[in-house]
């Protein structure tokens, strides 16, 4: 008889099992021996930040990341000021939750704008203001490169190389990067960029979802369960491990089909797939 | 009064105005002073390859490219042999049409396969067989990098850099690359890769479509009319010009909304947008 798989490094992002309340998620993960949860601002605010922090802590789990800050690319000064204020609150919430990692989705092109380089520079400008504030709260900003299909409307940072180019302008303890397989699996440079991130101590989060087709309209909710698609998870796990990553392995799947199922079934399947395709 | 715009380098890919027959397309382009058309194998076969060649030639137009060969990534020997045979016929058709450019869509991952590197190597293997055959017919193979959102199901060549890595294994007169704004606009390395393509005499086709959101389900038919989206066409035109490109500028838009309009209206709008956003 084989030993049960070690799920202590596994973390379930709460959007993966959106149909569950935060207490259901925490109870389910704790019972399964899963080590952590990744949280989102809106449901945490609704539950209460302090109450959420207590709930997770008393269950013996860790909060592996908070999603999300970012949306730094507006040109309008009032919108930029509002984004800065929102990001400071996101930092405060991350600190209250006891997570050192605030995931950033950088933002897309403003309406009618075609200047990707300029937008990426505005991300850097915003990081220069936010990073010291976050560091003083014990929170590291984690730039998440999103798949190039989101470059216009969601995130002008499309590759791990671009994320590192931005992060490396700041101290490593202030700004890191997210390696999410869904966004990066297609890139033949991702291996060398993961090594670069490791060498510079920039790895801040490792997230998993599979790539499945056909993509749904809007391309937001088409992520696949581990093993259902094209991603070679063992390759990614080996790459981040070789780069020094010993932190959580967070599963973050947005998929309407999964949300229609029983939460417990999704959790059990995710743990099985993690054991089969990652460990 | 200003001079009318020079449309002699403009080419209309026939899928841009799919609602038009080939004679309608050729007549419309010739009347507007547009210099060329890009053709697809299926409608050309239906019309008759020799007849299509004569129709275009007698209208004083050129065939700027034929779409498409490719789909080289199968593992199964019988499927690979069938693809090779189909690609030889595509070369023959390109030669008969008098175009020196056969556009290649390389193919995605086979069912259940997660090895992108291996699939790209099978593309190289197929090129090694096809390129000399094409060259002897006066046809150059043009590797088209497709947007990374097609990497799993359509084309494992996702960046211009990857396309050049493949093309440069062969003589420049045998294998070139396609620069299509829709697929490449997000990539911060595309400027240096266009320069690399120019320096190596690898530029074989320059195609335009705009990037608009939200993407439709399946993400095939969501390309935008020039000026409707995020692409900086003037930047791309300057980049390929600086790299030595003096050839056709081919507009290839797959958009169901455009196909529901009068063909003449789409043609007139495309010419206007070309003058406003490219020239």
């Amino acid at each position: 008889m084989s030993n049960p798989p070690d799920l202590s490094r596994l973390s379930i992002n709460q959007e993966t099992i959106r149909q569950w309340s935060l207490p259901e998620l925490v109870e389910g993960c704790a019972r399964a021996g899963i080590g952590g949860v990744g949280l989102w601002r809106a449901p945490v605010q609704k539950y209460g930040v302090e109450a959420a922090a207590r709930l997770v802590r008393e269950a013996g789990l860790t909060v592996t990341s908070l999603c999300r800050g970012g949306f730094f690319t507006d040109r309008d000064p009032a919108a930029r000021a509002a984004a800065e204020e929102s990001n400071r609150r996101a930092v405060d919430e991350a600190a209250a939750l006891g997570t050192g990692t605030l995931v950033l989705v950088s933002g897309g092109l403003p309406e009618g704008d075609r200047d990707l380089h300029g937008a990426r520079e505005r991300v850097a400008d915003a990081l220069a203001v936010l990073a010291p504030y976050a560091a003083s709260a014990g929170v590291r900003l984690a730039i998440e490169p999103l798949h190039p299909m989101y470059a216009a409307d969601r995130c002008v940072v499309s590759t791990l190389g671009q994320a590192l180019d931005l992060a490396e302008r700041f101290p490593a303890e202030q700004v890191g990067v997210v390696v999410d397989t869904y966004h990066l699996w297609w890139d033949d440079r991702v291996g060398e960029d993961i090594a670069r991130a490791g060498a510079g101590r920039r790895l801040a989060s490792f997230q998993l979802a599979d790539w499945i087709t056909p993509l749904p309209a809007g391309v937001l909710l088409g992520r696949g369960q581990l093993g259902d698609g094209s991603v070679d998870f063992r390759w990614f796990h080996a790459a981040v491990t070789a780069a020094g990553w010993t932190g959580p392995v967070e599963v973050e799947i947005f998929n309407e089909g999964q949300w229609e199922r029983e939460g417990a079934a999704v959790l059990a399947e995710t743990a099985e797939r993690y054991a089969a395709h990652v460990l």
Side-chain angles (χ1 to χ4, degrees), chain A:
Chain A
M1 193 179 126
S2 62
N3 292 323
D6 177 4
L7 305 181
S8 61
R9 286 180 66 195
L10 179 59
S11 168
I12 304 294
N13 186 285
Q14 78 181 123
E15 281 293 302
T16 303
I17 316 179
R18 180 180 213 163
Q19 61 273 49
W20 262 356
S21 68
L22 186 59
E24 288 172 320
L25 177 72
V26 166
E27 186 191 343
C29 287
R31 191 185 307 129
I34 291 166
V37 289
L39 301 182
W40 281 70
R41 290 186 70 193
V44 164
Q45 287 167 353
K46 196 169 166 192
Y47 188 80
V49 179
E50 294 299 337
R54 193 165 53 244
L55 180 74
V56 177
R57 191 172 56 239
E58 289 179 353
L61 302 179
T62 57
V63 179
T64 55
S65 71
L66 179 64
C67 280
R68 62 181 186 225
F71 290 89
F72 295 129
T73 49
D74 275 308
R75 287 182 183 275
D76 170 61
R80 292 183 66 74
E84 183 184 326
E85 180 52 31
S86 172
N87 275 283
R88 287 179 191 268
R89 287 200 308 272
V91 165
D92 299 341
E93 290 161 17
L97 290 168
T99 179
T101 304
L102 177 63
V103 173
L104 302 181
V105 174
S106 296
L109 287 172
E111 184 70 29
D113 196 316
R114 301 184 176 102
D115 179 10
L116 279 169
H117 175 76
R120 289 171 184 145
E121 287 303 308
R122 290 195 296 283
V123 175
D125 293 344
L127 291 172
V129 174
L130 190 63
Y133 178 81
S136 72
V139 174
R140 182 154 75 151
L141 305 178
I143 303 171
E144 178 161 16
L146 260 57
H147 193 282
M149 69 186 176
Y150 302 116
D153 55 359
R154 193 158 293 264
C155 185
V156 294
V157 181
S158 303
T159 65
L160 188 54
Q162 290 174 0
L164 287 166
D165 288 345
L166 280 166
E168 289 168 358
R169 301 190 196 187
F170 306 95
E173 65 274 17
Q174 290 188 8
V175 182
V177 296
V178 179
V179 172
D180 184 316
T181 61
Y182 186 78
H183 299 301
L184 304 176
W185 75 279
W186 59 272
D187 185 357
D188 61 341
R189 297 174 184 266
V190 72
E192 64 196 77
D193 286 332
I194 288 172
R196 173 181 161 198
R201 295 169 295 115
R202 299 284 173 177
L203 289 172
S205 175
F206 179 41
Q207 296 185 328
L208 309 184
D210 214 336
W211 180 272
I212 55 174
T213 56
L215 293 165
V219 301
L220 273 178
L221 306 181
R223 300 192 190 189
Q225 174 62 278
L226 314 186
D228 283 349
S230 303
V231 173
D232 186 343
F233 292 102
R234 223 173 290 283
W235 182 92
F236 266 98
H237 190 253
V240 300
T241 301
W245 181 249
T246 58
V249 181
E250 185 176 322
V251 176
E252 185 187 52
I253 298 168
F254 310 152
N255 183 302
E256 291 187 314
Q258 294 282 18
W259 296 339
E260 287 166 5
R261 301 173 63 196
E262 288 284 336
V266 177
L267 187 79
E269 182 186 77
T270 302
E272 283 163 24
R273 298 295 184 93
Y274 171 74
H277 293 275
V278 183
L279 289 183

